[in-house]
Amino acid sequence: MTAPSVDTRPSLRNEPRALSDREVADGFVRGDERCLAVAHARWHGLVHALAVRTLGDAREAEDVGQQVFLAAWRGRAGYRPERGPFPGWLVGITRRKIADALAARTRRRDLVVAVGERLSPDGVSVQEPDRVVERLVVTGELAKLPAAQREVLAMAFYGDLTQVQIAERTGMPLGTVKSHARRGLDRMRRSLSETPGARTTTAG
């Protein structure tokens, strides 16, 4: 069964909210979409506040909030009222999604650092325990760059070349290579930080 959209806030303005928390939980577990809507209206603020406090980013927290309610809906059969109230169950899911978001953020940061270290003038290369994942993500990000920046960073990442070696092979002045590398990495950092949801799947 395809989960319905959890972005139900506009349709809830006339929701009477007469149901008790237990009734909402029971209906939610049964697959009642009205109870999904009520649950989202009633506890989205709690989920979002917890995510914002931990992540420090409102947009990323909103993404986490959507993931929480989608995960709760898909896994609703796993809720056990004898183990605690429904909002507490949602908080548990929220904490797991926040942990996933933090882990993805760390992977993105480490990825950019790894690419940057390949550009070090001393030629020291870093180990690559997640090379396959890095290649998938970096290939996509490199494709978004201007040609000159893409060429420099591709030679660094795929060829393990230093800036001096790239300058020798391309005939570019070393200062130009450094400038392209710096600007390309800056673009990659911005791109990787702007779409957390999409990259969680890719990096995970």
Side-chain angles (χ1 to χ4, degrees):
M1 174 180 175
T2 301
S5 171
V6 297
D7 190 14
T8 53
R9 283 165 292 176
S11 64
L12 290 174
R13 291 173 182 172
N14 297 322
E15 171 60 50
R17 302 199 181 191
L19 299 175
S20 68
D21 288 358
R22 181 60 185 270
E23 289 172 329
V24 172
D26 290 345
F28 189 101
V29 171
R30 290 196 306 270
D32 185 335
E33 294 185 10
R34 177 170 172 264
C35 289
L36 167 62
V38 175
H40 187 272
R42 194 170 293 182
W43 294 303
H44 176 267
L46 170 67
V47 169
H48 186 263
L50 181 59
V52 168
R53 185 164 63 246
T54 306
L55 297 172
D57 185 309
R59 183 169 55 182
E60 194 171 5
E62 185 65 29
D63 183 70
V64 166
Q66 293 296 313
Q67 292 179 39
V68 167
F69 281 93
L70 183 58
W73 182 252
R74 288 174 172 172
R76 59 189 179 275
Y79 171 63
R80 296 291 181 269
E82 64 273 14
R83 296 180 182 175
F86 191 76
W89 183 64
L90 290 176
V91 167
I93 297 174
T94 302
R95 288 172 176 162
R96 291 193 294 274
K97 293 302 180 182
I98 288 173
D100 290 345
L102 290 172
R105 181 187 291 177
T106 299
R107 285 194 296 270
R108 295 193 300 269
R109 183 176 62 246
D110 291 346
L111 175 62
V112 174
V113 170
V115 175
E117 287 180 349
R118 288 187 179 87
L119 297 173
S120 60
D122 58 11
V124 176
S125 181
V126 296
Q127 297 299 314
E128 301 161 292
D130 298 317
R131 187 165 181 86
V132 174
V133 174
E134 287 185 4
R135 281 179 178 273
L136 289 173
V137 178
V138 170
T139 297
E141 294 302 323
L142 287 176
K144 303 174 185 177
L145 298 177
Q149 296 173 12
R150 181 169 63 247
E151 179 183 10
V152 168
L153 291 180
M155 293 179 74
F157 184 77
Y158 297 113
D160 285 325
L161 300 179
T162 65
Q163 292 176 334
V164 172
Q165 291 170 326
I166 293 171
E168 292 173 349
R169 293 200 180 190
T170 62
M172 297 181 190
L174 180 57
T176 301
V177 170
K178 291 181 178 180
S179 177
H180 286 324
R182 182 179 65 255
R183 292 175 182 174
L185 284 172
D186 286 343
R187 283 173 177 258
M188 288 178 67
R189 287 190 186 96
R190 288 196 299 271
S191 177
L192 287 168
S193 66
E194 285 173 357
T195 52
R199 290 183 310 284
T200 298
T201 300
T202 303

